[in-house]
Amino acid sequence: MEGAHIRSIGRALAVLRAVNQQGAMSMMQIANAVGIPYPTACRIVHTLQEEGMLEREPTRKYYRPTAMVNALSHGYQDHSDLVGLARQELEGLTARHFWPVSLTTRVGQHILVRDCTHALSPMALTNYQPGASFPLVECASGHVMLAFSDEEQRASWLDASENFDLAPDQHTLMRLREPGFAAQVREQGYVLRGYNQFTNTPGRTSSIAVPIFSEGEVCAALTLVFFSVSMKQETAVERYVPDLKKAAQAITAKLAGQHEAAPVAARAAMELRAGV
């Protein structure tokens, strides 16, 4: 049936995603991270072992992904030049402010890190890599994507989030559903999320995210992460938001230029083939 959610598949994917992001986890860590009972975690992990996706480390009871995980991406092709167009802006922000900056897009009910400067930042607590993911409704970049999407799409994403094992608390859902939420974010042009919980260092960092647009629709977010105790949130907004907005606008302009150039290049190629 269309729209039906198969919980067992959702849980298995959540386990695989958690282990893949962390690198190696114990069975209890997996159960806690995904929010499922320990026996359920055991069944899922053993199934993923049988399928060749996970393996147990030889010296301890930790489970890690195998090379077979790479096979899941073989059919995926990303024709967007978003990462290449944005890289200079990410590096520029980190060079100026020292904090790590991420470029993220939405994939299902998660926010996926497409590129980041954690490896370049002296202020990064965790060296995240492209491919790391976070719940859509729990991070600043996810809130930006929600706020700048249309009302119908936003409601659909929030409804789907409630079916996940790591569903947000009702207070968060209610706030995201309020009509004033999107209006406020669109007016100010950014989202600040304090004391991030769904990270490798819960509560120790805060984030500011701004939107990136392609052909009039939000397609990505630019997010700067700073230590929660390093400064007041209003100070962080005053200090970082203007540069974040400028960088996001520059990336949006590059994407617009790419779209404008595509038909011209296509016509030139056709004329060349036709011998014009």
Side-chain angles (χ1 to χ4, degrees):
M1 182 178 66
E2 183 178 357
H5 177 74
I6 303 176
R7 172 169 288 192
S8 60
I9 295 177
R11 285 177 165 178
L13 291 173
V15 167
L16 189 58
R17 186 162 46 241
V19 177
N20 196 46
Q21 181 171 328
Q22 294 293 333
M25 302 176 74
S26 69
M27 195 70 76
M28 184 59 71
Q29 288 174 335
I30 293 171
N32 291 336
V34 182
I36 57 178
Y38 185 87
T40 302
C42 290
R43 291 195 296 270
I44 293 174
V45 168
H46 292 156
T47 299
L48 291 173
Q49 280 184 278
E50 293 176 2
E51 295 297 327
M53 295 294 175
L54 296 181
E55 64 183 4
R56 179 178 162 178
E57 292 187 350
T59 57
R60 59 178 183 167
K61 293 183 179 180
Y62 271 59
Y63 299 86
R64 63 191 182 191
T66 71
M68 185 64 71
V69 171
N70 293 325
L72 296 176
S73 65
H74 284 175
Y76 173 71
Q77 294 184 352
D78 184 2
H79 300 289
S80 170
D81 290 328
L82 175 63
V83 173
L85 294 175
R87 183 64 190 182
Q88 182 179 356
E89 302 300 331
L90 269 68
E91 292 181 355
L93 285 167
T94 296
R96 179 170 183 175
H97 297 296
F98 304 107
W99 300 111
V101 180
S102 298
L103 174 71
T104 58
T105 56
R106 185 191 68 86
V107 179
Q109 302 309 307
H110 290 81
I111 289 296
L112 180 70
V113 176
R114 298 288 304 279
D115 195 12
C116 60
T117 60
H118 285 74
L120 302 178
S121 170
M123 312 292 281
L125 284 177
T126 302
N127 186 16
Y128 285 113
Q129 298 292 332
S133 64
F134 308 93
L136 173 73
V137 296
E138 295 291 352
C139 57
S141 50
H143 288 196
V144 161
M145 299 293 290
L146 286 163
F148 284 91
S149 62
D150 62 65
E151 185 176 349
E152 182 179 354
Q153 184 66 79
R154 181 165 58 254
S156 174
W157 291 349
L158 291 173
D159 288 344
S161 293
E162 293 192 81
N163 292 324
F164 275 67
D165 291 306
L166 291 179
D169 60 51
Q170 292 302 308
H171 175 74
T172 300
L173 277 176
M174 288 177 61
R175 187 170 68 84
L176 295 176
R177 290 186 187 279
E178 290 176 356
F181 159 72
Q184 179 183 357
V185 172
R186 291 185 179 209
E187 180 179 356
Q188 64 189 24
Y190 70 90
V191 167
L192 185 146
R193 184 79 168 155
Y195 302 95
N196 300 314
Q197 295 301 313
F198 282 83
T199 69
N200 292 342
T201 55
R204 298 184 64 185
T205 62
S206 298
S207 302
I208 303 175
V210 297
I212 296 170
F213 298 92
S214 177
E215 299 185 284
E217 297 184 357
V218 62
C219 66
L222 203 57
T223 307
L224 180 144
V225 179
F226 62 96
F227 297 156
S228 298
V229 298
S230 65
M231 67 186 73
K232 295 181 179 180
Q233 292 184 352
E234 54 266 30
T235 301
V237 168
E238 180 180 355
R239 186 172 299 177
Y240 305 131
V241 164
D243 283 347
L244 277 169
K245 286 183 176 180
K246 288 180 182 178
Q249 290 166 2
I251 298 169
T252 296
K254 290 178 182 179
L255 288 171
Q258 181 189 59
H259 291 311
E260 292 173 359
V264 176
R267 286 198 300 271
M270 291 179 63
E271 292 173 355
L272 183 61
R273 288 195 296 268
V276 177

